[in-house]
Amino acid sequence: MTHAMPPPFSEHPLPAWRRAVLKVGSSLLAGEGEGLSPRHALNLAQFVSSSIAAGREVVIVSSGAVAAGRGLLHRKPQAGAAMAERQALAALGQAQLIALWQRFFDRPVAQVLLTHDDLRNRRRYLNARATLQELLALGALPVVNENDTVSVDELKLGDNDNLAAVVAALVDADALFIATDIDGFYTANPRTQVGAQPIRDVEALTPEFFAMAGGAGSGVGTGGMHTKLEAAAKAAAAGIETFLFNGTQAGTVSALARGALIGTRFRPAQNRLAARKYWLRNVPVEAGAIVVDAGAANAMGQKGASLLPGGVATAEGDFRRGDMVELVLRDDAGERRIARGVSQYSAVDIRRIARRHSREIEGILGYTYGENVVHRDDLVLL
């Protein structure tokens, strides 16, 4: 049965953004036969290039490794070996996927493979964030994918929509762009439902919106609209806006480059900074504290500075890198909790570098995680 075309999405202005994650699904990269096709990737790459030329930063979260691996072998997966074969195909296809993206850019493209375990472990989460931020600082283009070659069912992130939302929070992005093969979010599946209406702006993702999308994997789009709403909800919780658009339409992609969206905008309840500070203020504190001097307390309170080792008196307890700790000032007036934050170093390390200059850290420890004990982005005053 053929249905009438659904109403089109109108063009509306994008808000300003500085750093974004662009998620590109397999449906936009897979060829009509096997392997990968540059057909839609080229337009998306032009959007990325124009954004970088305008002084912005972009991280790509890209599917397609399994499809690329399947194209190399020219055969269908064998029955009874679904997970192992998927992992093998991903291993074969990762290089092809990165080569596809590299052909569009005159800057180096860096492959970053992540698993759920990387993101739930605090130290590995911080290491992944530091790697991505350093790649951006070096002028490289990070291309992130789930590490299908080692992931197993209970550890898999499940889909790259949700992975993109996690990466957006990981790199403190302002925006999450999800390129799909449908024009945006509708009140029903426009491919099967007469009267489906476009929803251009979503203030808050209530259960009613998820009901419109249907069950996981059963909604609009190859990957399912449900997972895209899950991703938008995760991003919103971190104060990040999500923009859903049709990556197969050249006009829609070029509109993004000139600051216009033809698709659906999902707004967060609060801005990124407010969401970050709320998390820092409410996440449980580990057993331990960093004792700071009056100079460091003043710099953090009056100037919004990071905590450097020179302003640290000592560390108490046995916390690890990535743990949430309290920052305490002790002086003639007694002891006061002045802040809390995520420590870049363990308690043992901090006791060794306390009162020292940041440039001495590597000489003392034999390694460095940066000049800050607690970075200002990971710190909230009490």
Side-chain angles (χ1 to χ4, degrees):
M1 179 178 180
T2 301
H3 296 289
M5 291 293 292
F9 280 79
S10 59
E11 183 177 301
H12 45 291
L14 278 172
W17 58 274
R18 174 189 59 89
R19 179 181 291 171
V21 169
L22 170 64
K23 186 267 176 177
V24 183
S26 296
S27 64
L28 300 182
L29 299 179
E32 294 183 2
E34 297 175 326
L36 301 177
S37 167
R39 179 182 176 191
H40 302 308
L42 174 59
N43 293 327
L44 293 166
Q46 289 173 340
F47 163 57
V48 173
S49 293
S50 64
S51 298
I52 294 173
R56 301 185 181 102
E57 296 175 328
V58 181
V59 175
I60 295 176
V61 173
S62 177
S63 304
V66 174
R70 189 169 293 132
L72 287 175
L73 294 182
H74 303 292
R75 67 186 181 92
K76 295 180 179 180
Q78 298 298 309
M83 177 57 70
E85 183 143 356
R86 177 181 173 84
Q87 291 170 329
L89 291 172
L92 285 166
Q94 289 292 357
Q96 302 293 317
L97 179 63
I98 294 301
L100 173 72
W101 287 113
Q102 182 64 79
R103 66 190 290 187
F104 300 123
F105 299 100
D106 58 1
R107 64 185 59 239
V109 170
Q111 181 185 56
V112 180
L113 299 176
L114 296 173
T115 66
H116 180 87
D117 210 32
D118 295 323
L119 300 176
R120 71 181 180 185
N121 179 287
R122 282 186 296 265
R123 283 170 291 179
R124 287 158 70 176
Y125 179 95
L126 285 174
N127 289 339
R129 184 173 71 170
T131 297
L132 286 167
Q133 291 180 338
E134 185 63 21
L135 285 170
L136 292 171
L138 291 171
L141 177 66
V143 174
V144 181
N145 195 2
E146 185 170 6
N147 194 353
D148 290 314
T149 61
V150 298
S151 293
V152 292
D153 281 337
E154 63 268 27
L155 294 181
K156 285 178 66 64
L157 289 157
D159 62 84
N160 275 351
D161 292 324
N162 279 289
L163 173 61
V166 174
V167 171
L170 187 72
V171 299
D172 294 326
D174 307 295
L176 169 61
F177 292 94
I178 299 181
T180 184
D181 55 3
I182 199 75
D183 291 341
F185 181 55
Y186 289 86
T187 55
N189 188 337
R191 293 168 174 164
T192 60
Q193 300 295 317
V194 177
Q197 296 296 310
I199 300 178
R200 298 172 178 85
D201 204 321
V202 177
E203 292 284 348
L205 272 169
T206 62
E208 288 73 20
F209 288 106
F210 282 92
M212 294 177 194
S218 64
V220 177
T222 303
M225 185 58 70
H226 195 277
T227 62
K228 291 167 179 57
L229 295 192
E230 288 178 341
K234 283 184 173 69
I240 300 167
E241 296 208 54
T242 298
F243 305 98
L244 182 67
F245 66 97
N246 193 333
T248 70
Q249 300 298 315
T252 297
V253 178
S254 63
L256 294 175
R258 53 184 170 81
L261 173 69
I262 304 173
T264 302
R265 176 182 182 179
F266 298 91
R267 301 174 184 256
Q270 54 189 346
N271 64 37
R272 184 171 55 87
L273 180 61
R276 176 73 172 165
K277 295 300 184 183
Y278 178 85
W279 178 82
L280 289 168
R281 193 178 295 275
N282 291 281
V283 71
V285 173
E286 303 293 333
I290 298 173
V291 182
V292 305
D293 61 27
N298 180 68
M300 289 185 289
Q302 301 299 320
K303 303 176 183 178
S306 300
L307 176 62
L308 302 176
V312 174
T314 188
E316 298 179 341
D318 188 26
F319 57 86
R320 300 173 298 170
R321 163 174 159 79
D323 284 347
M324 179 66 69
V325 297
E326 292 186 335
L327 278 58
V328 176
L329 172 64
R330 289 180 185 152
D331 55 19
D332 294 339
E335 178 176 300
R336 300 185 299 282
R337 295 185 306 117
I338 62 168
R340 62 197 336 246
V342 178
S343 179
Q344 294 292 320
Y345 292 89
S346 69
V348 172
D349 287 346
I350 291 174
R351 286 190 282 268
R352 295 178 63 190
I353 62 176
R355 300 295 190 191
R356 307 298 285 268
H357 196 281
S358 295
R359 62 173 174 264
E360 299 179 80
I361 294 175
E362 188 166 7
I364 296 170
L365 300 180
Y367 52 86
T368 178
Y369 295 121
E371 64 179 11
N372 306 300
V373 174
V374 180
H375 193 277
R376 63 185 181 183
D377 291 344
D378 297 328
L379 183 150
V380 62
L381 298 173
L382 300 178

